Amino acid sequence: MASWYLGKIRYQKEDEAGRLKTINETYLVDAVSYTESEARLYKQILTDASDFSVTAISRMRLADLFSYEEGEQWFKAKVIYFSVDEKSGKEKKIVNYMLVNAEGIQQALDRINESMRNFLIPYEVTDITLTPILDVFPYSADEDKEPEIPANMRPLSEVMAERAQVAAADVEIPAAEAVITEAAPAENA
């Protein structure tokens, strides 16, 4: 199950008039901890500013996230499930929050209903609100992979061992030449 963290960043950007303007942006990150979410924000966020700071990270309770190709805005929906308690026989309400991207509120509602059409328990969407979230970064297994080492690069230990061998060979060659040069005049005499 995903753990979602809402990260807020702040940086300064120069506007058309040449004045510095403070920009605040909000992103949603799937991470294991606050520390990992901050690290992923620094890794994922690319701004025109060379430096930015993470000003806040908070946990966001989400039951589900529905992502579509189209849709610039992210909407948070409050969905209430109705279930019957087996022991008491009373109906109880379970509140969950879901996030969906869409162009407007009606499209967000339609997408939630479409995503939950196979849901067996009765539910009701009670609230849909526009969030300030600009982008969502779900966890990807590709992020954990070590970067591939290019073919023209070798480990430092191999390079150092090769240099040591070359240095040892350079030391041995002059010593051998000295023996040959000393022996040659003796034979001529």
Side-chain angles (χ1 to χ4, degrees):
M1 185 172 154
S3 296
W4 295 101
Y5 292 87
L6 200 61
K8 297 180 181 183
I9 68 165
R10 176 178 291 151
Y11 62 95
Q12 292 195 339
K13 183 178 181 179
E14 193 173 317
D15 63 3
E16 295 84 26
R19 293 181 301 242
L20 286 178
K21 182 178 177 183
T22 300
I23 307 292
N24 294 307
E25 296 178 348
T26 305
Y27 296 93
L28 190 66
V29 180
D30 180 11
V32 176
S33 66
Y34 289 93
T35 305
E36 183 190 2
S37 63
E38 182 178 10
R40 290 197 57 215
L41 277 172
Y42 277 108
K43 187 177 175 182
Q44 296 279 346
I45 305 300
L46 300 172
T47 63
D48 294 337
S50 60
D51 60 338
F52 65 90
S53 61
V54 176
T55 58
I57 295 176
S58 60
R59 191 151 191 175
M60 186 173 190
R61 200 178 105 213
L62 287 178
D64 218 337
L65 183 131
F66 305 118
S67 180
Y68 290 84
E69 291 293 324
E70 307 86 30
E72 294 292 320
Q73 300 171 319
W74 287 92
F75 293 89
K76 184 177 179 181
K78 181 178 179 181
V79 180
I80 299 176
Y81 306 128
F82 300 97
S83 68
V84 177
D85 187 9
E86 293 178 10
K87 293 180 182 177
S88 65
K90 293 182 181 179
E91 182 178 85
K92 65 178 186 175
K93 296 179 182 181
I94 301 169
V95 178
N96 279 322
Y97 294 95
M98 299 179 183
L99 201 67
V100 64
N101 64 325
E103 296 296 330
I105 291 177
Q106 185 59 48
Q107 187 180 36
L109 178 61
D110 294 341
R111 287 182 173 179
I112 289 172
N113 286 328
E114 175 187 330
S115 298
M116 296 184 63
R117 68 177 175 264
N118 294 331
F119 205 66
L120 299 176
I121 301 172
Y123 69 92
E124 181 181 331
V125 179
T126 59
D127 298 339
I128 296 180
T129 56
L130 179 63
T131 67
I133 296 171
L134 293 178
D135 206 354
V136 174
F137 301 114
Y139 174 77
S140 172
D142 294 339
E143 291 179 27
D144 288 344
K145 291 183 181 176
E146 290 292 322
E148 189 173 315
I149 298 173
N152 64 342
M153 297 185 83
R154 298 181 306 180
L156 183 60
S157 59
E158 286 181 18
V159 173
M160 296 305 287
E162 185 178 292
R163 284 186 182 173
Q165 287 177 348
V166 169
D170 286 344
V171 170
E172 291 173 12
I173 292 173
E177 288 176 2
V179 172
I180 293 172
T181 55
E182 289 175 13
E187 292 174 6
N188 291 341

